[in-house]
Amino acid sequence: MLVPLLFLASAVTAGLISWKTDDAPDVAFGNHLIFGGLLLLLLFYGALLIALPVARAIFSGELPVELTTTGPRYPEQELASSRQASKDLGERIDKLEFGLSELQSKRGQDARATAQGLRELGTDLAILGERLARVRAELDAE
């Protein structure tokens, strides 16, 4: 949409400048039509070289890596997609590490609870062993 509008504006501007000029320069061989065509090329490609990178920077936030006579060169899309993939992987790793640390913390709590339960079981078994010994002693005494 921007390029045809830019071409039209360049053509109108070149036409007005060449029409208002009394003598066409020697570069255009003194011809107003050739002068208008040269101005059109100069204005259009100059605007393309400047206006399109500026518009792309404003609307998509992407600046060109270099400006050449063949046009602006932008960073490769694959590089941007690999950066996004690396960012996504980093986020996934962070989530996994957080989950792992929570799991380790829970396992630590479970291990402490299990150790406490085993101590209580040992105490209960000792008490039960004492009662069993008393019962045997009583049975043996009878």
Side-chain angles (χ1 to χ4, degrees):
M1 172 78 180
L2 183 63
V3 175
L5 184 64
L6 198 58
F7 182 79
L8 185 62
S10 298
V12 169
T13 305
L16 289 174
I17 291 173
S18 68
W19 181 56
K20 295 286 185 178
T21 304
D22 292 333
D23 292 328
D26 290 337
V27 169
F29 305 111
N31 189 334
H32 288 281
L33 186 61
I34 294 174
F35 181 54
L38 290 174
L39 282 176
L40 171 65
L41 288 174
L42 178 71
L43 291 172
F44 180 64
Y45 284 117
L48 278 179
L49 192 62
I50 293 170
L52 286 182
V54 169
R56 191 167 175 179
I58 290 171
F59 294 118
S60 68
E62 188 177 18
L63 292 173
V65 175
E66 67 180 286
L67 290 173
T68 63
T69 55
T70 59
R73 188 174 67 85
Y74 289 92
E76 290 77 20
Q77 294 294 357
E78 296 153 5
L79 182 61
S81 64
S82 67
R83 284 184 185 158
Q84 182 63 35
S86 295
K87 183 179 176 183
D88 292 343
L89 280 174
E91 290 174 359
R92 287 180 62 192
I93 288 172
D94 289 343
K95 286 179 184 178
L96 287 173
E97 286 177 346
F98 180 72
L100 184 60
S101 66
E102 282 186 349
L103 185 61
Q104 286 174 338
S105 172
K106 181 152 177 56
R107 280 191 178 170
Q109 291 171 353
D110 290 346
R112 285 189 289 278
T114 302
Q116 179 65 29
L118 286 174
R119 282 191 292 270
E120 290 173 2
L121 180 62
T123 305
D124 291 345
L125 284 176
I127 293 170
L128 189 58
E130 289 174 8
R131 285 185 186 169
L132 186 59
R134 274 189 248 140
V135 169
R136 278 190 185 160
E138 288 175 7
L139 285 175
D140 288 341
E142 290 180 6

